[in-house]
Amino acid sequence: MTKPTIGFIGLGLMGGAMVGRLQDQGYALSVLGNRDRTHLDAAVARGATEVASAKEVAAASDIIMLCMGTSDHVESRMRGEDGVIAGLKPGAVVIDFGTSLPASTRTLGAEVAEAGGTYLDAPLGRTPSHAKDGMLNIMCAGDKAAFDKVEGVLKDLGENVFHLGALGSGHTIKLINNFFGMTVANAMAEAFAMADIAGVNRKELYDVMAAGPLHSGMMDFVKGYGVDGDPNLLAFAIKNAAKDVGYYSKMADDAGVKSIMSQSALSALSEARDTGHGDEMVSQMVDFFANKYST
């Protein structure tokens, strides 16, 4: 069978790795980057077609994929005279792989439907190294017929591909997942800093905690930096964590409730970001708490 043509917008670390994987699988791609041309140039060198606007991406593609940092970024590429919606072919499927606000996703879904296409949210789990090998976790939601149409492509990108129900459910689950993970990571980071203040050894604290039901992968990621000095076991920047937990809090507000548990993690992550540590990894929040408590 003929493979669908794919348009890809947002070739950062994750998007670039996903494009490389799609090219490995023989898909024809039109691509649109942003500021950093590293992955864009690599894709073009392998045969991808660079275009000048999101509208041109859509006009050339059966499936349009976006992998961008914020809902604002997604909306700016979707709307306007040069946006995806303006160039959409009838029956095209648009997939947002970013971590976006569910309310924004549902609004864009209605706009895409009015233009004759279908919008799916499909946030990602795992890392760019997993993307390179087609081993992502993909949390897709939206129209089931559209999901069935693109499932084969998603399975070329992901080891675990979920269909999670109505449009916005993937982004909702991803935000809950990231809220929980970042709250645990910050709690572990503070625990190591408090060990310093209280005069106990970080490694001994970890050994005791890890021997019981508190043990988790997230604990190990933070221990990777807090004890072993390697920040990259959890390759997720503080600024991105702050964004995601902020989106979770906004999602709660939109639902008419006030999140209690997210506020401490959001406060710490936001302060770390705003004091020049946004590009550091989440496990380095150990230093944020250690410095804060030692001054």
Side-chain angles (χ1 to χ4, degrees), residues 147-225:
F147 171 80
D148 292 342
K149 183 177 177 180
V150 303
E151 184 179 12
V153 180
L154 295 178
K155 286 186 172 179
D156 281 338
L157 291 167
E159 179 184 24
N160 300 301
V161 178
F162 303 92
H163 184 260
L164 300 170
L167 184 66
S169 299
H171 283 145
T172 299
I173 289 172
K174 178 65 184 296
L175 290 177
I176 295 171
N177 178 86
N178 283 20
F179 144 73
F180 183 81
M182 294 305 99
T183 301
V184 171
N186 274 273
M188 193 67 235
E190 178 171 318
F192 283 136
M194 194 59 66
D196 296 346
I197 296 297
V200 298
N201 181 273
R202 290 183 183 181
K203 175 64 163 55
E204 291 174 355
L205 171 69
Y206 167 81
D207 288 343
V208 171
M209 294 177 71
L214 300 181
H215 188 220
S216 70
M218 191 61 70
M219 174 187 285
D220 290 348
F221 291 154
V222 179
K223 179 256 187 185
Y225 179 72

Side-chain angles (χ1 to χ4, degrees), residues 73-145:
H73 292 157
V74 173
E75 291 175 7
S76 71
R77 290 301 194 187
M78 291 297 297
R79 296 183 176 128
E81 62 182 17
D82 290 322
V84 167
I85 293 171
L88 208 62
K89 297 195 297 186
V93 179
V94 183
I95 307 173
D96 177 12
F97 286 119
T99 302
S100 300
L101 285 164
S104 172
T105 298
R106 289 188 286 268
T107 299
L108 287 172
E111 294 173 17
V112 169
E114 188 175 351
T118 308
Y119 195 72
L120 301 175
D121 55 314
L124 306 170
R126 298 186 170 171
T127 67
S129 62
H130 292 102
K132 180 177 179 294
D133 296 324
M135 299 294 285
L136 292 168
N137 291 336
I138 302 178
M139 300 163 241
C140 191
D143 180 77
K144 183 60 164 58

Side-chain angles (χ1 to χ4, degrees), residues 30-33 40 49-58 60:
S30 298
V31 292
L32 178 65
L40 185 67
T49 300
E50 182 180 3
V51 297
S53 71
K55 180 180 179 179
E56 291 181 50
V57 171

Side-chain angles (χ1 to χ4, degrees), residues 11-75:
L11 280 74
L13 286 174
M14 180 64 84
M18 294 172 74
V19 165
R21 171 66 180 178
L22 290 167
Q23 290 183 302
D24 289 344
Q25 299 302 301
Y27 290 96
L29 284 103
S30 298
V31 292
L32 178 65
N34 195 5
R35 293 181 297 273
D36 187 340
R37 294 192 58 89
T38 302
H39 300 287
L40 185 67
D41 289 340
V44 170
R46 294 187 62 189
T49 300
E50 182 180 3
V51 297
S53 71
K55 180 180 179 179
E56 291 181 50
V57 171
S61 306
D62 302 312
I63 303 170
I64 302 94
M65 301 176 172
L66 300 98
C67 190
M68 310 190 75
T70 68
S71 287
D72 287 344
H73 292 157
V74 173
E75 291 175 7

